[in-house]
Amino acid sequence: MLPSSDPRSGWRVGADIGGTFTDVIALGPAGQVVPMKVLSTPPDFGTGVVTATTGVLAEAGAAPDAVTAMLHGTTVATNAILEAAGARTAVVTTLGFRDVLELGRLRRPVLYDLSWVKPVPLAARRDRHELAQRITADGRLDPAADEAEVRALASRLRADGIEAVAVCLLNSYVRPDEERRVAESLRAELPGVYVTASVDISPQPHEFERTSTAAVNAYVGPAVHGYLTRLEAGLRAEGVHAPLMVMQSSGGLLDAESVSHRPVQIIESGPAAGVTAVRRLAHLLDLPSVVAFDMGGTTAKASLIEHGEPFVSADYEVGGGMNVARGLGSGAGYPVRTPSIDIAEVGSGGGSVIAVDEAGALHVGPASAGSRPGPACYGNGGELPTLTDANVSLGYLSPDALAGGRVAVHPDLAAKALTTVAEQLKREPLDTARGAYEVAVSNMTTAVKAVTSERGRDPRDATMVAFGGAGPLYAAELARELGIATVLVPAHPGLFSSLGLLVADTELHEIAPYREELADIDALATEFAALTAKVTAELGENAVLERLLDLRYRGQRFELRIRLDDGDLTEDLLAAARARFHAEHQRTYGRAGGDDLVELVNLRVRGVVPSTVPLEDVLRPAPDDDRTPSTRECRFAAMTRTPVLRRADLGAEPVEGPVIVEDMDATTLVPPGARVHRDQFCNIVITWSAA
């Protein structure tokens, strides 16, 4: 069931889980905006969501039954992979293909790193089983799977205690009914076991990628299904009966029941919500090129939005320590073939641990203190120095409290933790803290370059939009390093992913591989009509539809996704799509070929039910507190007495840095040499003074 399309019909609540904080924003029927930020509650993150939701409704004076849309961004699928806490998973495949996951592709994330260890398959070899069946390349069964063999295999899986099964038969994308028959037989024989058919997740060629995607889906399936079931029950127990919608990696919402069947689609759920909000902001401000920079407690993420649309990749990798699709080097994680906003991610966040290696070099991350125990300055028992501790010591963060007073800060504990690293470096603690800040900035340039220069785009042509609890602290220095002239820090920067949930569209993707019989225009049109019917059956007749083609040159393994114009399918429409493909290939890779080399790989239909919530309604800042402007000592090249302002203290007239701007949910650092003002949509705008 979709939530009400009328934003004035009740309260909409967006809840996003991070590694350190859980962020919630409630939007009322009269445009009221009520934000709340609380510490996350691992391992049961849903408890924090329920607590924060009831808390924000109480603060808003709204009854739980007044909520008409509950919108959620979650890290539960990602955490299951990163923590190796997924289900015990079996893979069922064709005789002779048991080791597809083990063989993989000949790719290394770092070519000359001899210490690199290949990811361990999510299904152990003893849990990978073969059936004496075969689907030929042209779709014939030679032979079909034997029902008695399938039942015998089910008995073995039951005895082994298998919790999830991925069925991935050779060439099943050309004969999906055979694979679905095997999957249905296993479901009947194994009640309570999560069974995935690869053709229901990624019906595409390339056995390794399709098998990996199905294995990831099965591995995280029980965790996601259990989490969403418990969360819905917890919300209902508190009187919130609104339909639960979950953010997908592609940047659109989908109902919780559908997500439970295809949880692989929400691996990048949280980051996608933030990019969705930036996309709406780019539309509002008519910005042609925007770098979305999101830094939270555990990671920093970057994405490029061009002409109002983010890049959506057909595949990426998860579990390699960061999202390593394309630019950052592939091979470090598990390939996933589902639509995902192109997000580059590195392990630098506010909770990232500062350490010194055996050679005496300073490192930041990827290890994180998380929310439990968290940075040393939180006073929850953490002893390892983190970026948050460094920022407190440098004077960039409040020495009293964060998150609107909900998290107390202890500067003495931050200084004590940093001393251990400073002694190893034989440097002063403040020098060490500033060094950690600069190392983090250097780390984050890698993520921005992965989505800009490595795509053939110049980051200097873009505006940076910074958000996340720590993003506004680092954005100005990061932009200066990259030559980006303007940084925007929107209202509610620390809860911007939650804000993105409130304004996100509902979205569904369907895909079909190209087959020889589709060479005829009429057959191609019929296949698109079938995909369209599947999308509209789920989203309704009012869904806005977009047809897409995955195209490549003959001999290539990777495709570019190209939009097909609206209207009846004709040769002219296909010719226009090929022309766009040539132009995009030239821009991305520096060369282009002729029409005779173009191959069609997949057909896609994307359905969208547009959100009716204007971004302007959610950009209203929280009510001003009664703080008056103050100053505190901050360390830049030297100790500098720095003004500390509220967002409301800024006006249209630029103020010279250094300046610190404190919101309830984030702190913005304007370094020396920069200028800052506030625009008509309450964005903090940072620019660089003329030399």
Side-chain angles (χ1 to χ4, degrees):
M1 185 171 89
L2 300 183
S4 170
S5 61
D6 184 359
R8 295 171 297 279
S9 64
W11 285 82
R12 298 170 66 88
V13 178
D16 176 63
I17 296 174
T20 305
F21 287 99
T22 294
D23 306 327
V24 174
I25 291 186
L27 175 65
Q32 313 97 305
V33 178
V34 184
M36 181 169 287
K37 197 176 189 76
V38 301
L39 286 172
S40 294
T41 57
D44 184 11
F45 288 94
T47 298
V49 174
V50 174
T51 301
T53 299
T54 55
V56 79
L57 292 174
E59 189 169 313
D65 61 5
V67 177
T68 55
M70 187 71 206
L71 315 168
H72 188 31
T74 176
T75 59
V76 63
T78 308
N79 291 344
I81 296 171
L82 296 179
E83 298 169 7
R88 182 175 174 185
T89 301
V91 169
V92 177
T93 188
T94 299
L95 184 65
F97 289 84
R98 179 184 185 185
D99 294 318
V100 163
L101 289 179
E102 204 85 55
L103 295 172
R105 298 286 180 192
L106 190 62
R107 294 190 173 276
R108 299 174 66 90
V110 183
L111 188 59
Y112 301 109
D113 184 0
L114 299 181
S115 64
W116 176 72
V117 178
K118 190 175 182 178
V120 177
L122 296 177
R125 194 170 195 273
R126 67 180 179 275
D127 294 330
R128 302 198 297 267
H129 304 277
E130 298 174 333
L131 294 176
Q133 63 78 230
R134 183 81 173 216
I135 302 172
T136 63
D138 58 3
R140 291 180 295 106
L141 296 179
D142 187 24
D146 181 70
E147 194 66 33
E149 185 184 12
V150 174
R151 286 197 298 270
L153 175 58
S155 297
R156 179 174 175 183
L157 297 177
R158 189 185 308 111
D160 287 345
I162 292 297
E163 301 169 293
V165 180
V167 183
C168 316
L169 304 182
L170 179 68
N171 293 327
S172 60
Y173 64 95
V174 296
R175 187 69 184 265
D177 59 315
E178 174 72 355
E179 185 172 279
R180 291 189 179 115
R181 183 175 68 84
V182 172
E184 284 301 326
S185 296
L186 290 173
R187 286 192 188 98
E189 295 288 331
L190 298 169
V193 174
Y194 190 94
V195 179
T196 289
S198 71
V199 292
D200 292 332
I201 309 299
S202 177
Q204 302 175 63
H206 303 144
E207 297 306 312
F208 169 57
E209 286 80 8
R210 182 163 52 83
T211 303
S212 177
T213 302
V216 169
N217 193 79
Y219 185 75
V220 303
V224 171
H225 177 75
Y227 169 79
L228 294 176
T229 300
R230 291 191 300 273
L231 177 58
E232 287 187 298
L235 290 168
R236 285 195 298 270
E238 296 294 336
V240 178
H241 295 279
L244 177 62
M245 304 290 288
V246 183
M247 174 59 67
Q248 302 173 84
S249 303
S250 61
L253 296 163
L254 192 61
D255 64 280
E257 182 179 356
S258 297
V259 165
S260 291
H261 295 304
R262 293 196 276 190
V264 72
Q265 294 182 174
I266 66 165
I267 286 176
E268 292 294 328
S269 174
V275 177
T276 297
V278 176
R279 170 178 170 265
R280 296 290 289 268
L281 184 63
H283 275 290
L284 180 65
L285 300 178
D286 196 25
L287 299 174
S289 181
V290 174
V291 170
F293 172 62
D294 174 9
M295 183 177 177
T298 307
T299 60
K301 298 163 279 285
S303 187
L304 180 65
I305 297 168
E306 204 168 53
H307 305 299
E309 296 297 332
F311 284 89
V312 177
S313 173
D315 59 281
Y316 61 103
E317 292 182 3
V318 64
M322 56 184 174
N323 181 341
V324 290
R326 300 152 311 281
L328 294 178
S330 59
Y334 304 105
V336 170
R337 284 203 135 184
T338 57
S340 172
I341 290 177
D342 186 5
I343 299 171
E345 184 173 352
V346 294
S348 290
S352 293
V353 174
I354 302 168
V356 179
D357 66 18
E358 294 178 355
L362 185 65
H363 292 269
V364 175
S368 174
S371 60
R372 305 281 178 87
C377 64
Y378 287 0
N380 292 329
E383 297 181 351
L384 297 175
T386 67
L387 280 181
T388 296
D389 298 308
N391 289 323
V392 168
S393 296
L394 291 168
Y396 303 162
L397 286 176
S398 167
D400 302 316
L402 301 173
R406 291 184 176 85
V407 179
V409 172
H410 305 272
D412 55 325
L413 297 179
K416 180 181 177 182
L418 284 166
T419 298
T420 60
V421 176
E423 289 174 348
Q424 294 179 66
L425 295 172
K426 297 181 172 55
R427 303 291 295 271
E428 292 296 318
L430 283 183
D431 289 340
T432 301
R434 181 63 193 182
Y437 182 94
E438 293 171 354
V439 168
V441 170
S442 179
N443 290 346
M444 290 179 284
T445 62
T446 307
V448 177
K449 289 177 180 177
V451 297
T452 54
S453 55
E454 293 183 16
R455 271 195 172 273
R457 273 69 174 176
D458 191 336
R460 294 173 296 184
D461 296 336
T463 298
M464 178 176 285
V465 175
F467 58 101
L473 268 179
Y474 288 83
E477 289 289 1
L478 177 60
R480 176 154 56 184
E481 186 78 14
L482 294 163
I484 296 174
T486 303
V487 175
L488 300 180
V489 181
H492 310 295
L495 299 99
F496 209 55
S497 290
S498 295
L499 186 150
L501 293 166
L502 295 176
V503 299
D505 303 328
T506 302
E507 184 177 294
L508 182 66
H509 291 251
E510 290 292 345
I511 179 174
Y514 177 77
R515 306 181 301 279
E516 280 195 27
E517 59 266 31
L518 299 180
D520 178 73
I521 284 279
D522 291 337
L524 201 60
T526 300
E527 188 73 10
F528 268 122
L531 293 175
T532 297
K534 291 171 71 174
V535 171
T536 53
E538 182 77 23
L539 298 183
E541 294 296 332
N542 293 327
V544 178
L545 301 176
E546 182 181 43
R547 296 176 299 183
L548 303 156
L549 301 174
D550 289 347
L551 299 174
R552 68 184 181 192
Y553 290 126
R554 192 180 308 122
Q556 291 182 323
R557 265 204 65 247
F558 300 100
E559 307 87 41
L560 292 174
R561 186 174 302 175
I562 303 299
R563 185 180 183 277
L564 191 62
D565 290 335
D566 296 333
D568 293 337
L569 194 62
T570 63
E571 285 290 354
D572 288 342
L573 245 62
L574 292 176
R578 284 193 293 269
R580 281 195 288 273
F581 168 72
H582 295 316
E584 181 59 30
H585 202 281
Q586 176 71 46
R587 186 170 188 183
T588 303
Y589 300 114
R591 67 179 185 86
D595 281 357
D596 58 318
L597 296 175
V598 177
E599 288 184 340
L600 173 55
V601 181
N602 297 306
L603 294 68
R604 299 176 185 268
V605 170
R606 172 177 174 259
V608 172
V609 178
S611 168
T612 55
V613 179
L615 182 67
E616 304 93 300
D617 286 1
V618 199
L619 285 179
R620 298 187 183 95
D624 293 331
D625 55 35
D626 56 2
R627 288 182 299 113
T628 57
S630 61
T631 62
R632 63 172 174 255
E633 289 289 325
C634 295
R635 168 64 186 274
F636 298 101
M639 297 300 295
T640 306
R641 177 61 61 172
T642 303
V644 180
L645 309 176
R646 302 169 304 170
R647 185 177 292 250
D649 296 325
L650 296 173
E653 189 66 27
V655 176
E656 296 288 340
V659 173
I660 288 173
V661 184
E662 291 186 341
D663 288 307
M664 178 279 289
D665 50 333
T667 299
T668 301
L669 178 64
V670 184
R675 311 171 76 189
V676 61
H677 70 276
R678 183 163 58 97
D679 69 11
Q680 72 271 33
F681 296 109
C682 294
N683 297 303
I684 296 172
V685 184
I686 303 171
T687 56
W688 298 104
S689 303

